[in-house]
Amino acid sequence: MCPVKKSFAVWNRPKSELRQATQHSNAIHNEETTPLARIKWVELQGNPEGARQLTFCELDATLPFEVKRVYWIHALSAGEGRGQHAHRDTQQLLIAMSGRMQIRLSDGVRTDQYLLDSPIRALWIPSGLWRDIVVLDDDAVLLSMASTHFDEADYIRDYDAFQVFADNQRIEKIGN
């Protein structure tokens, strides 16, 4: 289990503060070479103005991976926790289709958080990161595009096991 619990103070901050924290966090990580630095915001194309808005994702042009699986989590309640796992191989693109979600990602050493609050902006999450998701609004919908088909062996569902996995990844990179 991730040592940072759902009551983490950032989740109770106003939306404007969360956005500022995310921008500051992204600026810090873009200057570093940590696993968290690989996380990218993806601005989706479309017509985001007017009464009828359209947003699209051209998979081969927008994503850094081939999509093998698409799923969405819906009928979510504010305060509900999701995620609480890592993927060994799967990369994901997450989009808040409706409502807001706080995404906390950890590489085993550092933890960073991101606010998903718009269907025109997606968060690309590379493999090897622990994720905790807290739903901020009732009836939120989270869309995920994944680089692999479902495989239970790809999941690390215990935080202590993830720490061992992350340590091994760091040692492997140092050796190369």
Side-chain angles (χ1 to χ4, degrees):
M1 174 89 59
C2 183
V4 184
K5 303 294 182 197
K6 287 185 202 176
S7 60
F8 192 63
V10 72
W11 295 347
N12 297 321
R13 290 185 190 167
K15 186 176 178 179
S16 61
E17 287 182 30
L18 287 172
R19 196 170 280 141
Q20 289 170 354
T22 298
Q23 290 168 350
H24 173 73
S25 167
N26 287 347
I28 291 171
H29 282 92
N30 287 338
E31 298 170 4
E32 298 178 7
T33 57
T34 68
L36 289 173
R38 297 178 304 173
I39 298 164
K40 303 284 186 228
W41 285 109
V42 177
E43 300 296 330
L44 302 175
Q45 297 180 10
N47 179 13
E49 299 178 16
R52 291 177 179 81
Q53 299 178 8
L54 171 78
T55 303
F56 61 90
C57 181
E58 292 179 337
L59 302 180
D60 59 340
T62 305
L63 301 181
F65 59 85
E66 180 183 352
V67 174
K68 300 283 180 108
R69 178 172 43 125
V70 176
Y71 63 92
W72 49 99
I73 306 168
H74 51 95
L76 299 170
S77 300
E80 184 175 345
R82 303 291 304 190
Q84 301 162 347
H85 65 270
H87 291 285
R88 288 179 171 81
D89 298 313
T90 301
Q91 301 175 57
Q92 289 179 289
L93 189 77
L94 300 181
I95 305 169
M97 301 306 290
S98 177
R100 298 173 302 139
M101 294 101 197
Q102 184 69 32
I103 313 295
R104 187 176 47 230
L105 300 169
S106 174
D107 64 6
V109 174
R110 295 187 52 182
T111 299
D112 214 343
Q113 57 230 343
Y114 302 84
L115 177 66
L116 284 180
D117 65 348
S118 171
I120 64 171
R121 188 173 176 192
L123 186 64
W124 171 57
I125 304 173
S127 60
L129 295 172
W130 185 269
R131 79 257 354 255
D132 286 311
I133 302 169
V134 170
V135 178
L136 301 175
D137 298 319
D138 285 332
D139 297 320
V141 178
L142 178 64
L143 177 74
S144 175
M145 296 182 201
S147 64
T148 62
H149 296 287
F150 177 81
D151 179 2
E152 184 61 35
D154 182 51
Y155 285 74
I156 305 170
R157 298 188 184 274
D158 175 77
Y159 193 77
D160 291 335
F162 167 70
Q163 287 280 25
V164 171
F165 171 82
D167 289 346
N168 289 338
Q169 294 294 98
R170 279 188 293 283
I171 291 167
E172 207 173 278
K173 285 182 182 177
I174 292 170
N176 289 333

